[in-house]
């Protein structure tokens, strides 16, 4: 459940013994440690020496009931910054260097189809797996075709070009193939992606074979950061290879968020990770977030920030936690031991979250993401792979948490930029689902030829002064705060209005600013003004909540109180709300909060966090439950209401 990724200094048995003693002083603060292969490309004899030391140190953990796994620190190579490491094997082994789409060569990353790299990697892995006999082998996130600085996309080396041309009976030069992938018929993009995935999958298969040749019972796992759709938008080609008999591979989706100086980054990271998690094969049952604090120092991520990130990761549905928080020896160990102490104190709460995650699904608003088939990129920089909305929109910061896991989402969120990435075949199913979007998206859909499916049109408003009339006699304008906001629109046609836009000087009405529309059998919410702004009035936020609530017959959960908090619900397959994690996303303590829950799994509500477990007294109104949460006595805090 709680896994610690270790640096190579833990190959020292004394350092490992001291860490074990600290773990034992703080029960349940660590279940498993990951030892690691030596970073860089040293000679095999160097790896052999390091593997023996790691094996001796690993035994110390096992003797004290702590599991031991192994991380493969690098396969293809992380990029130029590896030049500071021991790379003696590069020249001795004659490793074939990675070539980018622009012809640039990487000096510290290598072609995954190169037989010498494959042999070197297999022999390296075999040395460590034999010495450690790991419970799990985690392949690090450089097993990818992108982001191997200075190569942005590879590999286009002469051997890869010959292999591609031979497979498809073509005669592309590197420049011609890049042009075809970015600007040609989508068939060539599909073929290139298939070629890339097959080569990387074959490389992964050799790693699996090497591990199981010396440690047959070891489970395989992948660390990855799915930041684009360039290679097809998932890692199934690798996971399918890592799956072996009854061994289901594990997953660690990642993104580098190394400090907590901007806490919103910790929340945005969970949305980023949800993209990769949403595309996992169903057989991947154990998934942990990357919680990485490099360089692991007092003035980086605080220990409380690390614990908070763990809670956020579990709120978003992970079934375990992995921490890279003791990888460097820069600080006195008392700093790291304080973190173990906090893990020990919060363990019971985290266990409860994991128990729920194993039987539930995300109940967050579902972010629609584009694919890789439609966009053509004249720059030939593989812009077709861009993922819009990767860190979510303002809705999360207004109280409606978002996720790319859409299977049980109450409604879908459609950013207008995403329209440009969707094919017509990807758009059509949206007209049968509840959607929240803006007027620019409607304008783009009309331009794409879907006017006959929409009961409204939209019209931009040009005025030096405008206001939006909201319920309760309130008004709103965002014109004072930013000159970069989208131009306001009004909605015209058959709709249920939720607001009106008018001239701020002469009070002339421009038209409807927010509405619910019927699209076939589904309902959409359309806002022509200020949907993606997270600095709004309480009344404007209530309008957005009301529109979202109307399109899906009720949000799973939201906070009625005007406070900077967000709700992350988990729901059963039948749509029953099993838990709601409430996160204070401001620096301010909150008072009592009114939480509205639709279709709770039961009438019993229990609030839990690291400090307390408290029975709540719910009020039932039809399908909805209202509970009053105890105050969050500090900013950036979290707690969960469990329903049964």
């Amino acid at each position: 459940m709680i896994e610690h990724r270790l640096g190579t200094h833990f190959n020292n048995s004394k350092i490992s013994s001291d860490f074990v003693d600290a773990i034992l002083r703080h029960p349940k603060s660590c279940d498993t440690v990951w030892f690691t292969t030596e970073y860089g490309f040293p000679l095999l004899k160097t790896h052999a020496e390091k593997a023996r030391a790691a094996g001796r140190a690993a035994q110390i953990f096992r003797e004290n009931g702590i599991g031991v796994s192994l991380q493969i620190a690098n396969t293809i190579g992380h990029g130029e910054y590896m030049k500071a490491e021991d790379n003696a094997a590069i020249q001795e082994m004659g490793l074939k260097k990675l070539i980018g789409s622009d012809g640039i060569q990487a000096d510290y990353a290598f072609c995954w189809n190169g037989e010498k790299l494959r042999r070197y990697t297999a022999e390296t892995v075999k040395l460590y797996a034999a010495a450690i006999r790991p419970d799990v082998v985690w392949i690090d996130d450089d097993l990818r075709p992108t982001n191997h600085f200075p190569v942005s996309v590879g590999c286009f080396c002469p051997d890869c070009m010959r292999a591609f041309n031979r497979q498809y009976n073509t005669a592309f030069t590197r420049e011609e193939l890049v042009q075809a992938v970015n600007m040609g018929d989508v068939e060539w993009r599909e073929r290139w992606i298939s070629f890339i995935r097959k080569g990387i999958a074959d490389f992964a298969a050799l790693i699996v074979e090497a591990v199981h040749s010396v440690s047959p019972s070891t489970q395989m796992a992948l660390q990855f950061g799915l930041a684009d759709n360039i290679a097809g938008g998932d890692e199934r080609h690798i996971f399918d290879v890592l799956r072996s008999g009854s061994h289901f591979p594990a997953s660690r989706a990642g993104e580098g968020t190394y400090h907590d100086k901007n806490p919103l980054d910790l929340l945005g990271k969970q949305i980023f990770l949800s993209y990769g998690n949403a595309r996992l094969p169903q057989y991947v049952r154990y998934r942990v977030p990357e919680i990485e604090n490099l360089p692991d120092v007092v003035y980086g991520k605080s220990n409380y920030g690390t614990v908070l990130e763990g809670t956020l990761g579990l709120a978003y549905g992970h079934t375990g936690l992995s921490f890279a928080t003791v990888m460097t020896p820069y600080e006195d160990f008392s700093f790291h031991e304080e973190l173990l102490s906090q893990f020990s104190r919060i363990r019971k709460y985290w266990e409860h979250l994991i128990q729920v995650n194993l039987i539930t699904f995300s109940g967050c608003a579902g972010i629609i993401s584009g694919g890789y088939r439609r966009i053509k990129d004249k720059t030939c920089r593989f812009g077709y792979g861009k993922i819009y909305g990767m860190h979510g929109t303002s809705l999360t910061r207004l109280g409606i948490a978002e996720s790319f896991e859409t299977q049980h989402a109450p409604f879908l969120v459609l950013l207008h930029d995403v329209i440009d990435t969707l094919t017509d075949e990807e758009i059509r199913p949206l007209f049968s689902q509840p959607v929240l979007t803006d007027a620019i998206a409607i304008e783009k859909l009309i331009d794409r030829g879907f006017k006959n499916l929409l009961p409204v049109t939209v019209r931009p408003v040009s005025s030096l002064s405008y206001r939006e009339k909201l319920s309760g006699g309130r008004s709103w304008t965002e014109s004072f705060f930013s000159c970069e906001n989208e131009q306001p629109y009004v909605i015209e046609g058959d709709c249920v209005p939720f607001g009106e836009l008018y001239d701020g000087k002469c009070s002339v009405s421009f038209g409807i600013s927010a509405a619910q529309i019927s699209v076939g059998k589904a309902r959409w919410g359309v806002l022509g003004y200020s949907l993606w702004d997270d600095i709004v009035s309480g009344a404007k936020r209530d309008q957005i909540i009301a529109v979202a609530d109307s399109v899906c017959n009720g949000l799973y959960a939201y906070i009625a109180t005007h406070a900077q908090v967000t709700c992350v619900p988990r729901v059963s397959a039948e749509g029953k709300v099993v838990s709601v994690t409430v996160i204070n996303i401001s620096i301010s303590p909150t008072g009592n909060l009114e939480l509205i829950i639709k279709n709770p799994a039961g009438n019993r509500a229990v609030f839990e966090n690291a400090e307390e477990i408290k029975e709540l007294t719910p009020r039932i109104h039809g399908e909805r439950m209202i509970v009053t949460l105890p105050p969050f006595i500090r900013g950036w805090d979290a707690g969960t209401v469990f329903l049964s």
Side-chain angles (χ1 to χ4, degrees):
M1 172 186 157
I2 297 178
E3 311 201 20
H4 288 273
R5 183 169 131 203
L6 306 181
T8 53
H9 59 293
F10 280 93
N11 290 351
N12 181 300
S13 294
K14 174 64 167 62
I15 293 174
S16 286
S17 293
D18 290 346
F19 189 41
V20 167
D21 290 344
I23 292 170
L24 296 178
R25 287 193 292 271
H26 305 286
K28 298 187 175 182
S29 60
C30 174
D31 299 289
T32 301
V33 294
W34 302 2
F35 277 74
T36 182
T37 64
E38 194 73 7
Y39 196 54
F41 295 90
L43 300 175
L44 288 175
K45 64 180 182 180
T46 303
H47 278 306
E49 178 186 343
K50 300 294 184 179
R52 286 191 293 271
R56 291 190 294 270
Q59 188 61 29
I60 296 170
F61 286 89
R62 283 209 171 98
E63 288 171 352
N64 287 276
I66 300 165
V68 177
S69 293
L70 172 68
Q71 177 190 245
I72 303 173
N74 52 268
T75 52
I76 296 170
H78 292 275
E80 189 77 15
Y81 63 86
M82 296 181 70
K83 64 185 177 183
E85 307 300 325
D86 179 353
N87 293 297
I90 294 176
Q91 183 172 355
E92 179 169 294
M93 296 290 295
L95 303 183
K96 186 172 61 177
K97 295 181 179 181
L98 194 71
I99 304 296
S101 59
D102 51 5
I104 290 177
Q105 173 181 284
D107 289 330
Y108 298 92
F110 305 93
C111 175
W112 53 84
N113 290 316
E115 289 302 322
K116 293 178 180 178
L117 176 69
R118 291 183 175 189
R119 186 168 66 252
Y120 171 79
T121 305
E123 289 301 317
T124 297
V125 171
K126 192 180 297 185
L127 288 169
Y128 288 91
I132 295 174
R133 298 297 173 95
D135 302 330
V136 183
V137 165
W138 292 86
I139 302 174
D140 206 354
D141 60 10
D142 62 330
L143 191 60
R144 59 180 185 257
T146 57
N147 191 25
H148 298 284
F149 185 83
V151 169
S152 57
V153 181
C155 178
F156 291 86
C157 71
D159 287 348
C160 284
M161 289 302 307
R162 280 191 290 271
F164 182 88
N165 283 324
R166 185 167 56 249
Q167 181 172 336
Y168 293 108
N169 195 29
T170 54
F172 285 114
T173 64
R174 174 181 53 78
E175 295 85 354
E176 289 169 343
L177 179 57
V178 170
Q179 177 76 11
V181 170
N182 284 278
M183 289 295 295
D185 188 279
V186 72
E187 174 188 34
W188 290 111
R189 186 175 298 174
E190 296 276 13
R191 287 180 172 182
W192 179 77
I193 289 173
S194 177
F195 177 77
I196 293 294
R197 289 163 72 92
K198 175 67 165 55
I200 290 177
D202 289 347
F203 186 23
L206 290 176
I207 294 174
V208 176
E209 181 182 343
V211 170
H212 287 163
S213 70
V214 295
S215 186
S217 62
T218 294
Q219 179 186 9
M220 300 300 299
L222 179 67
Q223 302 166 252
F224 67 98
L226 198 57
D228 57 60
N229 286 321
I230 289 174
D234 63 43
E235 303 291 350
R236 179 177 284 273
H237 55 298
I238 302 176
F239 281 110
D240 283 350
V241 169
L242 301 187
R243 182 178 181 179
S244 177
S246 60
H247 292 293
F248 294 105
S251 162
R252 190 235 63 185
E255 185 203 29
T257 303
Y258 302 114
H259 58 77
D260 54 4
K261 299 180 189 302
N262 180 1
L264 281 169
D265 289 347
L266 303 181
L267 184 58
K269 175 177 177 175
Q270 303 311 316
I271 300 173
F272 181 102
L273 300 186
S274 76
Y275 189 83
N277 288 335
R279 282 149 184 76
L280 288 174
Q282 288 189 350
Y283 57 74
V284 178
R285 300 169 180 174
Y286 184 65
R287 61 186 200 181
V288 299
E290 173 194 55
I291 301 175
E292 195 168 32
N293 294 1
L294 295 173
D296 314 323
V297 292
V298 170
Y299 292 98
K301 192 180 293 176
S302 68
N303 283 336
Y304 177 75
T306 301
V307 173
L308 176 66
E309 187 175 344
T311 300
L312 297 180
L314 296 181
Y316 263 81
H318 290 93
T319 54
L321 293 169
S322 67
F323 296 93
T325 60
V326 291
M327 290 190 65
T328 63
Y330 300 135
E331 295 290 355
D332 185 89
F333 194 75
S334 61
F335 172 65
H336 303 302
E337 183 163 357
E338 168 58 26
L339 183 60
L340 295 177
S341 173
Q342 293 192 34
F343 286 172
S344 182
R345 290 198 299 269
I346 202 171
R347 170 79 180 226
K348 186 175 181 181
Y349 172 43
W350 281 354
E351 287 177 341
H352 201 171
L353 287 169
I354 289 173
Q355 289 167 7
V356 167
N357 291 343
L358 291 170
I359 58 171
T360 58
F361 304 87
S362 171
C364 298
I367 303 172
I368 299 169
S369 61
Y372 59 87
R373 292 178 174 86
R374 183 170 188 271
I375 287 182
K376 295 186 182 298
D377 181 15
K378 294 180 181 179
T379 70
C380 285
R381 294 177 181 171
F382 298 80
Y384 68 80
K386 183 176 180 179
I387 303 169
Y388 288 94
M390 180 54 89
H391 287 82
T393 69
S394 61
L395 293 179
T396 297
R397 298 187 290 275
L398 295 181
I400 307 174
E402 298 151 287
S403 170
F404 283 98
E405 297 186 69
T406 61
Q407 183 181 4
H408 294 272
F411 66 90
L412 302 177
V413 181
L414 178 59
L415 284 75
H416 58 258
D417 287 337
V418 174
I419 298 291
D420 301 327
T421 74
L422 296 170
T423 64
D424 288 355
E425 292 72 23
E426 291 168 326
I427 288 174
R428 288 191 185 96
L430 302 180
F431 291 109
S432 62
Q433 301 176 73
V435 170
L436 183 67
T437 191
D438 63 10
I440 300 176
I442 299 296
E443 186 176 57
K444 287 186 175 184
L445 289 170
I446 291 172
D447 290 343
R448 289 279 296 272
F450 293 102
K451 182 177 180 179
N452 63 316
L453 297 177
L454 295 163
V456 296
T457 58
V458 296
R459 174 173 55 85
V461 173
S462 296
S463 175
L464 293 177
S465 176
Y466 42 82
R467 298 284 189 276
E468 186 178 18
K469 188 181 295 182
L470 306 172
S471 62
R474 299 287 185 180
S475 65
W476 168 247
T477 181
E478 64 177 1
S479 59
F480 297 122
F481 304 111
S482 173
C483 60
E484 298 178 358
N485 289 312
E486 304 285 359
Q487 183 177 14
Y489 280 67
V490 292
I491 301 151
E492 299 174 334
D494 186 10
C495 63
V496 178
F498 279 77
E500 180 184 6
L501 201 68
Y502 65 97
D503 190 298
K505 291 186 176 180
C506 62
S507 299
V508 172
S509 175
F510 294 125
I512 296 170
S513 58
Q516 177 206 107
I517 65 174
S518 295
V519 181
K521 295 183 180 180
R523 292 194 293 265
W524 283 24
V526 182
L527 279 82
Y529 177 67
S530 193
L531 176 57
W532 313 123
D533 183 7
D534 66 335
I535 300 178
V536 298
S537 69
K540 178 64 181 178
R541 182 264 191 179
D542 289 346
Q543 179 207 58
I544 295 171
I545 292 279
V547 174
D549 200 56
S550 73
V551 303
C552 61
N553 293 320
L555 297 170
Y556 283 127
Y558 68 93
I559 294 290
T561 313
H562 288 165
Q564 293 187 46
V565 296
T566 199
C567 293
V568 184
R570 299 289 299 176
V571 301
S572 69
E574 298 74 31
K576 299 280 188 180
V577 179
V578 180
S579 70
V580 181
T581 299
V582 179
I583 308 161
N584 180 2
I585 57 174
S586 76
I587 63 172
S588 173
T590 71
N592 293 331
L593 300 172
E594 293 293 298
L595 172 63
I596 314 296
I597 301 171
K598 178 201 169 187
N599 208 14
N603 291 336
R604 183 170 182 253
V606 176
F607 177 84
E608 184 175 350
N609 62 10
E611 284 78 32
E612 65 176 326
I613 300 176
K614 183 176 182 178
E615 191 94 20
L616 304 177
T617 304
R619 309 188 300 278
I620 307 298
H621 295 275
E623 288 187 333
R624 302 205 182 201
M625 171 189 287
I626 304 173
V627 294
T628 301
L629 302 184
F632 286 78
I633 59 174
R634 61 187 168 208
W636 279 100
D637 199 359
T640 303
V641 176
F642 295 99
L643 301 149
S644 60

